[in-house]
Amino acid sequence: MDLLLHLRYFRTVAEEQHFGRAAARLRMAQPSLSQRIQRLERELGVRLLDRGARGATLTPAGRLVLAETDHLLAAADRLAATVARVHSGAAGTLRAAVPPGLGATAVAALLTAFRERSPGATLELRELPTAEQTAELTAGTLDVGIVRHPCPAPGLAFGPTLHQPLGALLAADDPLADPLTGPAELPAAALTGRDLVLFPRAEAPALHDETLTACARHGCTPTAVLAATGPDFTRGLVLSGGAVALVPRTPDEAGTVWRPLHGTTVTWRTSTAWPEGKDSPAVRLFTDTAHTVLREHADMRTAPSTRMVFPRPASEFPL
């Protein structure tokens, strides 16, 4: 027996004090309603209603059961509403991650936009390199992430890909940074002979190799490749002289200048990722939000330049 359903029938009869009026309100036949109330009484082992020619009245046991019924049905309604919000992505906890270097503005915009779109949900956002994100997505400890490509694909599904051109972060006194004599867009070959600052290879091995390969194809041969994770350490290496950081567009700060590479010769591809078959409403909401935020706040684009080159280092990578 569906206890909650039968209790709803009982409450309607109690409110109408008449089986005929209750049946009409419930849009069901009166005999069927009477049978269901009798079944409820047998299930509970008490008589709930006294039947008479003028209607139905609650017995003392019926009054007690009705009071408990109101509490129970109210709790059931709250539970159903909560479950509906979880199913729609408007409630619950979503475990998500972004890659290092996404930028403070983009991270803040992502948190704000997701909160506005889903005010009842909790977004647990962490910063994780792509390699760690794919491992956690596969292990089920992460619901969705923003990853750099190429990255391992088995068991994962991906959102639309965005393209983010890289540029060079230079010391402000570097001749290439001079607004009068330096080029507005740097040829990649102009960075040859410098120490190149890049994210640690362990964070995204395939992307690290692809980036250096793209540099080489456009005539850039660095003297050394220095690993840096945070923006402060990266800027410190640049300020020390001789090193150039290859990073997405970065606001100019005292002592450093960012210049785009000519023709978007080196570009990073980014998308959301989640375990295949687990694109819940909350995951889809995060994906849609991230796609909008990354285009508006992280200088990412939906289409690459026609001059961009994407060497494909291994067949196991999806893009």
Side-chain angles (χ1 to χ4, degrees), residues 34-53:
S34 296
Q35 292 171 5
R36 291 171 186 268
I37 298 301
Q38 290 170 3
R39 185 177 180 185
L40 177 62
E41 290 175 327
R42 289 196 300 272
E43 186 74 18
L44 298 178
V46 294
R47 186 172 181 80
L48 301 173
L49 295 161
D50 288 326
R51 284 80 164 168

Side-chain angles (χ1 to χ4, degrees), residues 100-228:
L102 195 61
T105 301
V107 172
L110 178 63
L111 287 166
T112 301
F114 187 85
R115 192 180 304 123
E116 290 175 348
R117 294 188 183 190
S118 185
T122 300
L123 179 61
E124 290 184 353
L125 191 65
R126 290 183 288 157
E127 185 182 69
L128 288 176
T130 291
E132 292 184 29
Q133 285 196 47
T134 54
E136 289 213 22
L137 289 168
T138 302
T141 55
L142 192 66
D143 299 314
V144 63
I146 296 175
V147 298
R148 305 286 195 185
H149 292 276
C151 68
L156 299 184
F158 299 96
T161 301
L162 291 170
H163 303 263
Q164 186 177 34
L166 300 188
L169 186 66
L170 306 160
D173 58 359
D174 190 304
L176 292 176
D178 191 313
L180 299 178
T181 60
E185 292 186 345
L186 298 177
L191 306 180
T192 291
R194 308 290 189 96
D195 289 346
L196 196 64
V197 183
L198 198 59
F199 62 86
R201 187 176 185 277
E203 291 185 359
L207 177 60
H208 190 277
D209 295 348
E210 183 180 273
T211 302
L212 293 180
T213 300
C215 288
R217 290 190 175 194
H218 289 85
C220 172
T221 304
T223 303
V225 178
L226 309 179

